Amino acid sequence: MLFLRSALFNLTFYVSSAIICIAVTPAFILPRGVIVFCMRAWSRWTMWLLRVIAGTRYEVRGLENLPKEPALIASKHQSMWDTIIYAAILNDPAIVLKKELLYIPYYGWYSIKAQMVPVDRTSGASALRNLILHAKNALAQNRHLVIFPEGTRAAPGSHNPYKPGVAGLYSQLGIACVPVALNSGLYWPRRKFLRRPGTIVLEFLPPIPPGMNRKAFMAELEGRIEPATDKLLAEAGFSG
């Protein structure tokens, strides 16, 4: 049954996503807000499919920790789910993504139209300057900035080194940083076919105020995200 439900979800998700991408093509000539609306609708559609077909729900905790003014949201990254959910639960977030993703047909085009924040990890010091420039433009539009500090997905129970880009944004932008813990990798595992039933929990943790030095900030950020993530994994019955 798990295999069949996973197969049905994957088929429905990828086919419907392709249809939606093509159907929304005329929106490229319309204002950016139209694309943002369509991306939110697609994200919520995906969450609905996941719940109805795979039996995977989600719960968001700690919304009271999310400032009303734009903030830097530093999220744990375990699953493709993480890249979808923020468009569904936040109002027009600016998501930091690898520049290579912009070359993917439709996905990249929509990301450009929605003014997501690309980072070119091969261009050295200029990468941070461009990242800061795009980030400031997003903040000027009153948008939360979402970044995955690890840069890539980590399996439940493990983590990748935190990249310096998050510290660069934090120090240059002078805004609060909201750490995020989650356990999505238990239900939508990276590079796996199965979609497991249960409840994904995403938790916004208390914000880190601006003004810390880089080294202290990085230690504080990792020291908040990783234990909180381990706690969510243990709550879901994960034992390593």
Side-chain angles (χ1 to χ4, degrees), residues 4-237:
L4 291 177
R5 295 181 75 174
S6 298
L8 180 58
F9 169 78
N10 287 322
L11 177 64
T12 307
F13 168 67
Y14 287 110
V15 170
S16 65
S17 294
I19 293 172
I20 290 170
C21 282
I22 295 171
V24 177
T25 299
F28 282 114
I29 63 173
L30 299 175
R32 187 184 74 87
V34 177
I35 287 291
V36 172
F37 173 85
C38 292
M39 292 179 74
R40 170 175 282 194
W42 171 76
S43 298
R44 292 181 173 178
W45 163 253
T46 300
M47 296 302 117
W48 184 84
L49 287 179
L50 198 60
R51 175 174 58 85
V52 171
I53 299 176
T56 310
R57 294 167 170 78
Y58 73 90
E59 175 187 350
V60 178
R61 299 177 183 173
L63 281 172
E64 68 277 5
N65 292 320
L66 200 59
K68 290 183 172 59
E69 64 274 8
L72 176 62
I73 298 173
S75 176
K76 183 67 179 175
H77 194 15
Q78 294 183 344
S79 168
M80 180 179 173
W81 183 90
D82 315 336
T83 66
I84 301 172
I85 188 61
Y86 286 107
I89 63 176
L90 297 178
N91 181 31
D92 189 17
I95 300 175
V96 177
L97 45 75
K98 294 180 290 187
K99 186 177 180 180
E100 307 91 89
L101 296 178
L102 300 182
Y103 303 129
I104 299 176
Y106 286 103
Y107 179 88
W109 305 339
Y110 286 125
S111 296
I112 293 171
K113 180 70 175 182
Q115 297 180 15
M116 296 306 179
V117 179
V119 56
D120 184 356
R121 297 184 296 184
T122 65
S123 58
S126 65
L128 181 58
R129 290 195 296 270
N130 290 329
L131 177 62
I132 297 297
L133 177 62
H134 285 288
K136 286 182 176 179
N137 289 336
L139 295 182
Q141 296 172 334
N142 203 37
R143 302 164 69 193
H144 287 305
L145 189 67
V146 179
I147 187 171
F148 301 104
E150 295 167 284
T152 190
R153 294 168 293 177
S158 66
H159 76 279
N160 298 307
Y162 282 36
K163 307 296 184 184
V166 65
L169 287 172
Y170 170 79
S171 62
Q172 292 293 319
L173 299 177
I175 57 177
C177 177
V178 180
V180 177
L182 45 76
N183 63 2
S184 56
L186 297 177
Y187 305 95
W188 187 326
R190 61 174 189 159
R191 301 170 187 163
K192 297 290 178 66
F193 175 82
L194 296 179
R195 304 290 176 258
R196 301 186 181 280
T199 302
I200 297 173
V201 179
L202 181 149
E203 183 175 5
F204 293 102
L205 304 173
I208 300 172
M212 297 180 68
N213 66 59
R214 288 193 176 207
K215 185 176 180 180
F217 166 73
M218 291 294 280
E220 182 71 16
L221 181 65
E222 189 169 346
R224 291 195 190 191
I225 291 178
E226 295 305 321
T229 294
D230 290 342
K231 184 177 179 180
L232 293 179
L233 293 174
E235 180 182 318

